[in-house]
Amino acid sequence: MNILLIGSGGREHALAWAISASPLCDKLFIAPGNPGTAQCGENVVLDIADHRAVADFCKLMGVGLVVVGPEGPLVEGIVDDLEAAGIKSFGPSRAAAQLEGSKAFTKELCAEFGIPTAAFARFTDEAAAKAYVAKTGAPLVIKADGLAAGKGVIMAETIEQANDALAMMFSGGLGAAGAEVVIEEWMVGEEASFFALCDGTHALPLASAQDHKRAFDGDTGPNTGGMGAYSPAPVMTKAMEEQVMAEIVRPTLAGMNQRGTPFKGVLFAGLMITADGPKLIEYNTRFGDPECEVLMPRLKSDLVPALLAARDGVLNAVDLRWSDEVALTVVMAAKGYPGTPEKGSVIKGIDKAAAAKDVLVFHAGTQANGEEIVANGGRVLNVVALGRSVSEAQAKAYAAVDLIDWPGGFCRRDIGWQAVKREREG
Ligand code: AMP
Ligand code: GLY
């Protein structure tokens, strides 16, 4: 079968790597892809926003499955439009992607179906929101309802910070995303991510991961899309995974079904492991980036039949095998990220790093310039290593990072530090 993968990040290189290894995959196209995905298939120039053009391409090339990586096209309804054109597509419908597209939607679903999450209130009016803050007191978490590229969440330790955040959002500081605001209880605990594959009715657990959102060592500096991750998350025991499936993932699927908008695709639960058990922070409706880069190397089974079964509603017949090893990724970013990254700097030594034992290098914001690879985005490379422990995977990943010669880039030197500390303390 021919497959089209949509996206251009490290997540898509990891997916392209897994999909192209499948005996079911004859030809893989990636739109737009990056120089890494070009090693797994053929990058194609397509206007992703033009769903009819994507459908026409699929018909012309005999594409039997479309896999959508990022959230943007999902929220724009690409799966609805491709399916309507008769093309099998993996990912949620526009209505089901509201689990990521609208925080208020998800909070209401949690309230209706008893899914554990932070207490919350919704506002479209600044004065009413400020009155609620005055009544509740700090700390609080202030969130823009819509997609805000990771900038829509403000942790307010004081009433003043909460009011400043509300003023910023209601005055259009985040555009339309801030027209509605959700105010949440500040939950305390350790964060972890959990991924499940869903076919509308059944959910198949994938794996857990933890990431590092802050730009600099010691979890300091501005928030980013993620500077590194590892899987599995040591805090997620088998029992905890079962609790998350029973209390969070399955009730979400049942609720979405009951509302007539069944969820198909990857459900990515951001969790807070509190003293009262796991609680939902938020959902994403796709693989995480860089979490996907640590999930794919641990997956022992063929990914393609699982994606097809999720699309076809027959996931109950699928069983996936996972490596017991830990995978850890270090993101290498261009200087300036997460502000304005410097583009065009030359990166050397990628092949040397990728040739190291138990190491994979996934491209994100790179560009081929003749024989050279240059930086062309914020997050540029993912250096992934497998090991028997987080400490071992971390050591191998940094040894490979050190083979890459890129004065224009930087990375954190402490990815996995909490888990490494936990392993040392035994
Ligand atoms: P979100 O975009 O909703 O995942 O939020 C981004 C980050 O803000 C999360 O990864 C948490 O670190 C933090 N956060 C969001 N909501 C809460 C909450 N209710 N309590 C504590 N931390 C939160
Ligand atoms: N790494 C977080 C995300 O993909 O949203």
Side-chain angles (χ1 to χ4, degrees):
M1 145 188 311
N2 293 345
I3 298 175
L4 170 66
L5 171 65
I6 290 180
S8 65
R11 166 182 49 214
E12 284 74 27
H13 187 184
L15 288 171
W17 175 78
I19 291 169
S20 63
S22 170
L24 291 178
C25 179
D26 294 320
K27 174 130 201 189
L28 174 65
F29 299 101
I30 311 97
N34 63 40
T37 64
Q39 297 163 10
C40 311
E42 183 183 337
N43 289 348
V44 290
V45 180
L46 264 179
D47 180 2
I48 302 309
D50 184 348
H51 299 172
R52 181 177 299 179
V54 177
D56 287 346
F57 173 85
C58 292
K59 286 181 184 155
L60 188 68
M61 295 302 189
V63 167
L65 177 69
V66 177
V67 179
V68 185
E71 63 276 20
L74 295 170
V75 172
E76 294 297 321
I78 195 166
V79 169
D80 310 59
D81 292 340
L82 292 177
E83 288 282 350
I87 294 151
K88 280 194 185 193
S89 304
F90 173 80
S93 65
R94 182 195 331 238
Q98 284 303 298
L99 281 175
E100 171 158 5
S102 165
K103 295 189 190 293
F105 175 92
T106 299
K107 297 301 282 189
E108 294 294 348
L109 187 95
C110 289
E112 186 178 345
F113 295 96
I115 296 160
T117 187
F120 75 104
R122 302 165 57 176
F123 298 93
T124 50
D125 174 73
E126 184 172 340
K130 286 186 171 168
Y132 177 85
V133 168
K135 189 181 79 190
T136 319
L140 286 168
V141 183
I142 314 287
K143 299 186 177 184
D145 177 57
L147 290 177
K151 298 188 178 73
V153 175
I154 291 174
M155 310 292 295
E157 288 176 41
T158 64
I159 288 184
E160 196 183 8
Q161 285 170 356
N163 285 335
D164 286 349
L166 290 168
M168 180 275 285
M169 290 182 192
F170 281 118
S171 64
L174 296 173
E180 177 163 351
V181 169
V182 177
I183 303 182
E184 290 185 10
E185 161 203 359
W186 179 317
M187 298 186 287
V188 178
E190 185 168 348
E191 279 184 59
S193 302
F194 187 71
F195 296 82
L197 207 53
C198 302
D199 72 356
T201 314
H202 315 98
L204 182 68
L206 294 174
S208 63
Q210 278 176 304
D211 76 342
H212 293 269
K213 290 194 173 66
R214 302 296 199 95
F216 307 129
D217 284 14
D219 293 322
T220 59
N223 266 323
T224 71
M227 293 300 290
Y230 49 98
S231 172
V235 63
M236 292 286 288
T237 57
K238 196 84 207 134
M240 181 86 69
E241 285 193 14
E242 274 157 24
Q243 195 178 352
V244 170
M245 288 299 289
E247 294 179 7
I248 298 179
V249 174
R250 287 200 200 99
T252 298
L253 272 199
M256 292 297 281
N257 237 337
Q258 198 171 316
R259 288 181 169 196
T261 53
F263 183 86
K264 290 186 179 188
V266 174
L267 196 58
F268 165 179
L271 303 170
M272 188 70 83
I273 312 303
T274 72
D276 302 328
K279 292 190 182 181
L280 183 71
I281 300 174
E282 65 154 6
Y283 275 132
N284 296 308
T285 59
R286 51 175 172 81
F287 281 109
D289 191 351
E291 289 86 346
C292 190
E293 291 92 306
V294 289
L295 293 193
M296 290 305 117
R298 295 187 56 229
L299 178 61
K300 295 271 201 200
S301 307
D302 188 347
L303 178 66
V304 173
L307 300 181
L308 280 169
R311 149 63 180 74
D312 291 340
V314 292
L315 208 47
N316 51 333
V318 175
D319 189 26
L320 292 175
R321 287 179 307 114
W322 294 85
S323 161
D324 290 334
E325 286 196 308
V326 173
L328 181 141
T329 182
V330 176
V331 171
M332 299 185 79
K335 281 182 184 161
Y337 178 77
T340 309
E342 293 166 21
K343 291 191 179 176
S345 54
V346 176
I347 309 166
K348 293 191 182 134
I350 297 176
D351 291 346
K352 229 190 287 172
K357 191 172 176 310
D358 299 326
V359 170
L360 291 158
V361 178
F362 293 127
H363 290 235
T366 60
Q367 193 175 45
N369 192 356
E371 292 293 292
E372 285 177 344
I373 294 291
V374 300
N376 187 42
R379 293 186 293 169
V380 172
L381 291 173
N382 278 271
V383 179
V384 187
L386 286 160
R388 281 162 301 175
S389 61
V390 181
S391 316
E392 192 184 299
Q394 187 196 52
K396 287 185 196 169
Y398 281 113
V401 164
D402 291 338
L403 296 172
I404 294 178
D405 175 14
W406 181 28
F410 75 99
C411 68
R412 281 183 55 165
R413 299 297 311 192
D414 65 345
I415 299 302
W417 67 268
Q418 301 101 320
V420 167
K421 186 162 162 252
R422 195 181 287 221
E423 285 175 359
R424 282 211 189 106
E425 288 165 359

